[in-house]
Amino acid sequence: IQAAKGGMGYASDESRWNPETRESADHSLPFTVVLALLEGSVEIRHFEEEYFKTAAIRNLMSKVTAELSEECERAGAQAMMTIVDVKLASGKSFSAKAQFNLLDAESHFSDGNQEAKFVPLAKSLMPVTQIDDLLSRIRNLEHLSDTHEVLTLTIPLLGES
């Protein structure tokens, strides 16, 4: 993994390389990269101990390196560039470069993009009808006289998801 200094986050913290808690796992650059490579996505369910303490995942995490990249640094803090290089046991290599331009962030916040990120995270905590109501109220905040109803909708209804 190559990134600018600001993109390394907690990479120097040992707990992020051997996460023992959900909190250290969700701030672990090697863990989230390994998850994305193995699972194709990173979801809330992946932060349970069955994932971050699994021997196979820990083994792959031990092969991850993180280094500062001059290219990522030159891209600037607004670009948040990261480069991931993967070398397979067969010797074949892959590389991907991604950046999230904070100056263009508005284009990432369409209703569809918000739903694509929020719904998978929330569906294990609340029924779909509650998720839909919450999203509808958030999108119409300026028309609400009381935000209490929005806050109430953020409380998971246990046993009803």
Side-chain angles (χ1 to χ4, degrees), residues 110-127:
S110 68
D111 289 354
N113 284 344
Q114 289 175 353
E115 286 180 27
K117 183 163 186 169
F118 180 71
V119 172
L121 295 171
K123 69 182 177 185
S124 66
L125 301 172
M126 57 185 69

Side-chain angles (χ1 to χ4, degrees), residues 91-142:
K92 191 168 184 173
S93 295
F94 300 90
S95 185
K97 182 187 312 183
Q99 58 186 52
F100 179 81
N101 190 330
L102 294 175
L103 298 175
D104 189 34
E106 190 173 310
S107 67
H108 298 283
F109 296 116
S110 68
D111 289 354
N113 284 344
Q114 289 175 353
E115 286 180 27
K117 183 163 186 169
F118 180 71
V119 172
L121 295 171
K123 69 182 177 185
S124 66
L125 301 172
M126 57 185 69
V128 173
T129 54
Q130 184 178 352
I131 294 169
D132 291 343
D133 287 347
L134 176 58
L135 288 171
S136 175
R137 301 259 183 353
I138 289 171
R139 291 183 180 128
N140 293 289
L141 277 175
E142 66 274 9

Side-chain angles (χ1 to χ4, degrees), residues 15-120:
S15 70
R16 302 320 192 241
W17 291 86
N18 294 296
E20 292 295 327
T21 66
R22 179 185 194 103
E23 177 67 17
S24 59
D26 78 359
H27 288 86
S28 169
L29 187 61
F31 177 65
T32 54
V33 168
V34 166
L35 269 179
L37 291 170
L38 291 176
E39 300 282 323
S41 65
V42 178
E43 300 173 17
I44 199 164
R45 66 186 173 88
H46 293 126
F47 296 100
E48 299 299 328
E49 282 191 23
E50 67 186 82
Y51 281 95
F52 65 81
K53 288 191 174 180
T54 300
I57 288 178
R58 294 256 177 165
N59 181 47
L60 283 175
M61 287 174 60
S62 72
K63 297 176 182 183
V64 172
T65 60
E67 58 189 50
L68 295 176
S69 161
E70 288 186 29
E71 179 182 3
C72 294
E73 201 66 51
R74 279 192 310 273
Q78 297 297 322
M80 293 178 56
M81 180 187 290
T82 304
I83 301 168
V84 176
D85 299 309
V86 177
K87 185 173 182 180
L88 303 179
S90 67
K92 191 168 184 173
S93 295
F94 300 90
S95 185
K97 182 187 312 183
Q99 58 186 52
F100 179 81
N101 190 330
L102 294 175
L103 298 175
D104 189 34
E106 190 173 310
S107 67
H108 298 283
F109 296 116
S110 68
D111 289 354
N113 284 344
Q114 289 175 353
E115 286 180 27
K117 183 163 186 169
F118 180 71
V119 172

